Amino acid sequence: PDVDQRQTSQTMRVARLYAGRPDVWRAASWRTLIELASPKISESVRQAFEAKLLAGETVSAPEIRRVRGRLKPGSPKRRPADQAPRMAA
């Protein structure tokens, strides 16, 4: 009951992307990893930031947010193909 669902969701996204990539998670802060794992960042941008980290450069969460742009408020809309099938009552 005391678990913050937003933090849990962020942790799961980071774990899915970087659990097997200690070279990345050792080089980045937790906040940076959360931003890199954002579903709103494109794969090519994510890979560019990962390459910077692996090259020994510093990457910050605010830098990633600037490149990503502003997020729209509210929950992201799911495409019909992503929606779970509904059961009839």
Side-chain angles (χ1 to χ4, degrees), residues 10-55:
Q10 291 171 337
T11 302
M12 289 171 49
R13 273 198 318 264
V14 170
R16 268 193 300 274
L17 280 172
Y18 297 113
R21 306 264 328 262
D23 52 337
V24 173
W25 54 258
R26 285 183 180 144
S29 70
W30 177 247
R31 204 73 224 142
T32 299
L33 289 172
I34 288 172
E35 293 298 332
L36 280 175
S38 170
K40 299 294 183 177
I41 192 169
S42 72
E43 188 64 28
S44 60
V45 171
R46 179 180 295 117
Q47 289 173 351
F49 279 120
E50 290 171 358
K52 284 178 71 171
L53 284 169
L54 297 176

